[in-house]
Amino acid sequence: MENITYATEKAKRDYILLRKAMDNNDQKAYAELVSLYRDSIYYLMMKIVKNSDDAEDLTQETFGKAFRNLHAYSPQYAFSTWLYRIAVNNSIDYIRHKHNSPQCVDDDLFSLTSEQLIDRSTSNHTQTPEDMVIDKQRIHMLRAAVQQLPEKYRTVVELRYYDELSYEEIASTLNITLSNVKIHLLRAKGMLSQIMGNMRYAI
């Protein structure tokens, strides 16, 4: 095996499986890679396309494209990051072709809280039951607001706050600069504040 320095044990495990798959056409290695990442890729696809059948198809396409292009994979990057990039590009192509419009999403698809995206001066105070109800309403509004963002901003927000990727991982996944990641997030926060303000006026 090549003399490679691995960032994590997970990266080492993945590369060993990749070498088995590439060098020996080891079907068990392929199957294990799918098993390790299928759920996370499907979950990501569901959040983007909002349809279980399409998410399933896109998940299968993602692994198909990844395995057909293993020769292009560089071990200096985590396999998971490379796979995420393929998945995101795949879903973006799908959305462009289908011209999907933003949709609201079920609460159980997301776990982030409103203070992760929008500053709250009262985030450290002791909450009353009334405060908790207000917070739940804010979070519900935020999740709906995220779906109204333009595609490139929504994708960055979801990768950062829903999938908890670092700025560097997002840049690698979307093949954009680190500076653009930060700019997209900053603009997205401004848009979210405006969208949520409009929602309040509409209530």
Side-chain angles (χ1 to χ4, degrees):
M1 183 174 292
E2 301 166 74
N3 186 18
I4 299 172
T5 301
Y6 303 98
T8 64
E9 284 299 312
K10 184 180 80 169
K12 181 178 180 180
R13 174 205 66 196
D14 289 351
Y15 191 66
I16 290 173
L17 289 171
L18 286 169
R19 291 313 319 178
K20 288 181 179 179
M22 294 174 66
D23 297 341
N24 306 316
N25 196 26
D26 189 327
Q27 296 304 307
K28 288 185 178 179
Y30 282 117
E32 188 168 348
L33 286 167
V34 172
S35 177
L36 287 167
Y37 291 105
R38 185 196 178 284
D39 287 349
S40 60
I41 295 298
Y42 174 79
Y43 187 55
L44 174 63
M45 295 298 94
M46 269 297 295
K47 287 188 293 186
I48 295 175
V49 303
K50 317 297 186 301
N51 179 284
S52 58
D53 290 337
D54 291 337
E56 181 65 40
D57 289 343
L58 287 168
T59 299
Q60 293 183 20
E61 287 178 15
T62 295
F63 283 104
K65 288 182 179 179
F67 291 152
R68 286 194 300 272
N69 293 282
L70 284 180
H71 61 277
Y73 168 70
S74 172
Q76 71 184 81
Y77 302 107
F79 174 70
S80 56
T81 299
W82 185 69
L83 191 63
Y84 260 94
R85 178 187 292 181
I86 294 173
V88 169
N89 288 341
N90 212 25
S91 65
I92 289 174
D93 287 343
Y94 164 84
I95 290 171
R96 284 173 178 163
H97 289 141
K98 294 273 289 187
H99 301 289
N100 281 5
S101 60
Q103 303 174 31
C104 288
V105 296
D106 296 332
D107 286 350
D108 62 358
L109 288 179
F110 304 98
S111 60
L112 88 164
T113 57
S114 57
E115 55 263 34
Q116 286 178 295
L117 289 179
I118 297 176
D119 293 335
R120 295 176 53 200
S121 59
T122 60
S123 62
N124 293 323
H125 77 292
T126 301
Q127 286 192 317
T128 66
E130 290 79 10
D131 292 327
M132 294 178 68
V133 170
I134 292 172
D135 275 354
K136 286 182 179 179
Q137 291 174 339
R138 285 173 58 85
I139 293 169
H140 178 76
M141 289 173 62
L142 176 64
R143 289 168 179 159
V146 167
Q147 298 311 303
Q148 297 184 41
L149 291 173
E151 178 186 319
K152 64 180 180 180
Y153 298 123
R154 184 176 71 248
T155 300
V156 171
V157 167
E158 290 180 342
L159 289 175
R160 174 60 178 164
Y161 295 105
Y162 299 166
D163 297 305
E164 299 182 348
L165 297 188
S166 67
Y167 290 163
E168 291 78 8
E169 288 173 323
I170 295 171
S172 179
T173 297
L174 299 179
N175 197 26
I176 61 178
T177 66
L178 190 60
S179 177
N180 274 340
V181 172
K182 295 177 180 179
I183 290 172
H184 285 4
L185 284 172
L186 183 63
R187 289 177 178 171
K189 289 179 182 181
M191 291 178 187
L192 285 171
S193 295
Q194 182 175 2
I195 291 169
M196 291 182 71
N198 292 338
M199 286 178 173
R200 291 190 189 97
Y201 286 122
I203 292 174

